[in-house]
Amino acid sequence: MSAATDAIGVFREAMGPESADIARERTLVREFLRDAAASGLMVRQCDSWLSGYSPEFSRELGRHGWIGMTWPRRYGGREAPSAVRFAVIEELLAAGAPVAAHWFADRQIGPSLLRHGTPAQRDFFLPRMARGELYFCVGMSEPDAGSDLGAVRTRAARVAGGWTVSGSKTWTSHAQHAHHMLALVRTGDAGARPSGALTQMIIDMAQPGVTVRPIRMLDGREHFCEVFFDDVFVPDTRILGQAGGGWGQVLGELGFERSGPERFLSTFPLIAGLAGAAGGHPAAGELIARIVVLRAMSARVAGHLGADEAPGIPAAIVKDLGTRFENDSVDAAREWLGSCDADAGLAGLLEQAQTRAPGFTLRGGASEIMRDIVARAWGLA
Ligand SMILES: Cc1cc2nc3c(=O)[nH]c(=O)nc-3n(C[C@H](O)[C@H](O)[C@H](O)COP(=O)(O)OP(=O)(O)OC[C@H]3O[C@@H](n4cnc5c(N)ncnc54)[C@H](O)[C@@H]3O)c2cc1C
């Protein structure tokens, strides 16, 4: 058993017994991951849900039925309970498996299509996404509209049979690889309230007029991008939900984006390494204890998502506390490994975690914004 599975066992034990279905699925995933590591299909890494991009691995997961697990069978899903999906995701992240290629499709685009998509959109996109073959990027943020999404300026003008889109998006993860973007676009008066002026559109990234410019990161990788649209045609059949209904739809989507175990497991391979290293370390115990609490909160939100609710406030709490925890885990690891002879594997995981940490509390919505959401809910702001 690897250090990662040992450590995940510790916090799962603290959560009490699980159903036979969940236990069976965990065993299958672990066996798969062990084989994948042995064959070289995956290399354990920190932040694997955003940094580990492997279409080959995604297609393999799709073949095993681990993408779109909760979706209806007719769309390539398994109609699995959300708790089973939660356990599968947890195993993949704890092992540091490269799941980034299909991540957005599985986490939020698929559920959005099920809520708001037309039958033709579902028939086309969902089965391909569940097979791990078709990838989406998320086009919300713009140069002057990150925290304040209502300020989106990318604009679509009405033309026969559809719309033409002009403007730009930024920080778009994996736009250079994605087949489609789910973009939030202004289709109404710029002076109007966001609730009536924004629309979600599915944009084919191979369409003429789309330019993608990757942004170089601290460690030399190019994971997120600037994307420019120059009169890009989007047919009416690629509008998601209601034209003008984008604001409400995006708020629902952010519930999926903010509450999952990826908001506190990005550094888990490092934590597991600390817990498993000879002699252990008291800091590892504290980190595992915090994970137990975060996991309980996140699993509870997953239950609400499965019930088709949009738990914006609990999701914001998980996002804020979870990403703060991730940063604390990097600090604890740095302090500990700085005072001992860390093996090369552990030092490598720390280096990965350190270079990716600046984005933890920003991506998916900055911490200050999460706290603002919570404070407003209690009438404190
Ligand atoms: C690794 C990474 C991947 C990303 N991937 C994507 C992606 O795929 N698609 C996508 O659309 N976006 C993506 N983003 C963008 C991310 O959602 C934004 O960075 C985030 O929403 C913050 O927006 P901003 O960068 O414009 O910062 P700003 O909104 O300019 O905020 C800067 C700082 O000011 C603070 N601030 C802003 N407004 C307020 C306020 N009202 N009150 C208090 N404080 C405030 C913020 O908390 C933050 O600390 C990604 C970001 C990162 C780091």
Side-chain angles (χ1 to χ4, degrees), residues 50 104 138-143 145-148 170-173 217 223-224 358-359 362-369:
L50 201 63
F104 301 126
V138 175
M140 294 190 196
S141 306
E142 296 187 6
S147 298
D148 182 12
T170 194
W171 317 127
T172 317
S173 298
M217 308 214 26
H223 123 263
F224 54 20
L362 270 174
R363 59 192 186 187
S367 295
E368 290 79 2
I369 305 304

Side-chain angles (χ1 to χ4, degrees), residues 4 7 11 44-49 93-96 261-275 287-288 291 294 322-334 346 349-358 360 363:
F11 79 76
R44 189 154 69 106
Q45 59 179 293
C46 285
D47 198 38
S48 67
W49 65 273
L93 297 177
E262 71 272 26
R263 295 302 175 188
F264 54 91
L265 290 181
S266 302
T267 58
F268 192 82
L270 176 64
I271 297 170
L274 291 182
L287 296 174
I288 297 287
I291 291 182
L294 286 163
T323 54
R324 206 180 326 162
F325 161 79
E326 289 180 333
N327 276 341
D328 288 349
S329 72
V330 177
D331 290 343
R334 190 190 301 118
L346 213 41
L349 288 171
L350 174 60
E351 193 179 311
Q352 283 170 4
Q354 282 188 131
T355 52
R356 291 156 206 188
F360 290 166
R363 59 192 186 187

Side-chain angles (χ1 to χ4, degrees), residues 70-310:
T70 59
W71 306 350
R73 285 183 210 285
R74 61 173 294 212
Y75 298 127
R78 288 168 48 188
E79 299 179 12
S82 60
V84 176
R85 176 181 182 271
F86 191 91
V88 169
I89 297 294
E90 192 172 58
E91 293 292 337
L92 292 169
L93 297 177
V99 291
H102 67 272
W103 188 259
F104 301 126
D106 182 49
R107 177 181 72 183
Q108 67 201 78
I109 311 293
S112 286
L113 283 164
L114 284 168
R115 270 188 192 171
H116 308 293
T118 62
Q121 288 170 350
R122 294 176 186 180
D123 284 341
F124 179 80
F125 288 108
L126 292 172
R128 289 170 174 81
M129 283 158 51
R131 288 198 298 270
E133 295 171 359
L134 189 148
Y135 313 131
F136 263 83
C137 58
V138 175
M140 294 190 196
S141 306
E142 296 187 6
D144 294 314
S147 298
D148 182 12
L149 269 186
V152 156
R153 281 190 305 197
T154 293
R155 187 172 186 82
R158 202 75 177 100
V159 292
W163 304 77
T164 54
V165 177
S166 295
S168 66
K169 295 287 172 184
T170 194
W171 317 127
T172 317
S173 298
H174 304 301
Q176 71 274 51
H177 309 297
H179 302 106
H180 294 87
M181 172 190 282
L182 182 57
L184 185 66
V185 170
R186 182 165 296 283
T187 46
D189 181 359
R193 287 171 60 77
S195 49
L198 298 173
T199 299
Q200 283 190 298
M201 297 185 176
I202 299 169
I203 300 181
D204 184 340
M205 296 296 280
Q207 183 87 351
V210 178
T211 305
V212 177
R213 198 182 295 156
I215 300 168
R216 174 96 14 116
M217 308 214 26
L218 192 61
D219 56 4
R221 291 176 313 118
E222 292 177 343
H223 123 263
F224 54 20
C225 306
E226 294 175 286
V227 182
F228 302 91
F229 304 109
D230 185 10
D231 279 344
V232 175
F233 178 68
V234 179
D236 283 326
T237 52
R238 291 290 167 90
I239 298 299
L240 181 67
Q242 293 298 314
W247 184 251
Q249 291 174 204
V250 157
L251 291 185
E253 200 181 310
L254 288 172
F256 288 93
E257 189 172 331
R258 291 174 174 162
S259 62
E262 71 272 26
R263 295 302 175 188
F264 54 91
L265 290 181
S266 302
T267 58
F268 192 82
L270 176 64
I271 297 170
L274 291 182
H281 189 268
E286 188 207 320
L287 296 174
I288 297 287
R290 285 172 71 182
I291 291 182
V292 171
V293 177
L294 286 163
R295 183 184 183 271
M297 294 172 66
S298 174
R300 202 176 159 86
V301 181
H304 288 292
L305 290 170
D308 216 20
E309 294 164 25

